[in-house]
């Protein structure tokens, strides 16, 4: 059985507006704690919430295919930054690419976009 914190996270992801209703069958003390966890998760930004889901429940099973799709569509500068930021086990998906130092074209926005695309593809 999931701990209450995990239950609250699942309820928020799947139930959204009805998440709190899902706790009605719990003991009063557990329902209060679960609603507290729910409020904490709801206060997080979407990106932080997605990261928490990934940490708790793992990487998407189709992450490799999604990363390949992102890499196929990305312009060269963005592709290099995505590759630089990938963990080694994901870099192995792209044997033709080499790890290169970041160049001046890798602006703060390009780097932020690369990180966001990786999160979206894997979580």
């Amino acid at each position: 059985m999931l701990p209450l914190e995990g239950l609250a996270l699942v309820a928020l992801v799947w139930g959204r507006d009805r998440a709190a209703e899902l706790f009605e069958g719990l003991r009063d003390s557990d329902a209060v704690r679960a609603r507290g966890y729910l409020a904490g998760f709801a206060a997080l930004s979407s990106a932080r919430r997605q990261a928490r889901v990934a940490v708790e429940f793992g990487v998407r099973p189709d992450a490799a295919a999604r990363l390949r799709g992102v890499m196929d569509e990305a312009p060269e500068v963005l592709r290099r930054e995505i590759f630089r930021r990938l963990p080694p086990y994901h870099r192995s998906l792209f044997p033709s690419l080499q790890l290169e130092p970041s160049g001046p074209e890798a602006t703060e926005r390009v780097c932020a976009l690369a990180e966001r695309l990786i999160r979206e593809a894997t979580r």
Side-chain angles (χ1 to χ4, degrees):
M1 183 164 196
L2 282 175
L4 286 176
E5 190 174 14
L7 183 65
L9 187 57
V10 169
L12 180 62
V13 169
W14 291 100
R16 302 257 181 227
D17 298 331
R18 298 184 10 211
E21 294 172 33
L22 297 173
F23 304 138
E24 288 177 6
L26 297 175
R27 289 180 297 187
D28 288 340
S29 62
D30 288 343
V32 168
R33 286 184 32 231
R35 284 188 182 98
Y37 290 129
L38 181 66
F41 293 136
L44 296 174
S45 68
S46 175
R48 290 205 184 270
R49 215 172 16 256
Q50 288 176 18
R52 183 64 189 263
V53 169
V55 166
E56 293 294 325
F57 302 108
V59 175
R60 296 178 59 106
D62 61 346
R66 290 170 58 98
L67 280 170
R68 284 186 185 105
V70 167
M71 292 291 273
D72 287 346
E73 297 293 322
E76 185 61 31
V77 171
L78 183 56
R79 187 176 313 135
R80 282 195 308 264
E81 276 311 302
I82 291 170
F83 186 74
R84 281 185 71 255
R85 294 167 187 291
L86 286 174
Y89 57 91
H90 282 311
R91 278 194 209 128
S92 66
L93 297 170
F94 309 100
S96 63
L97 298 178
Q98 298 273 333
L99 191 59
E100 301 173 7
S102 193
E105 65 278 352
T107 63
E108 186 176 320
R109 288 184 179 177
V110 169
C111 295
L113 179 57
E115 289 177 9
R116 177 65 187 249
L117 289 172
I118 292 167
R119 276 194 311 272
E120 292 293 327
T122 58
R123 299 180 178 158

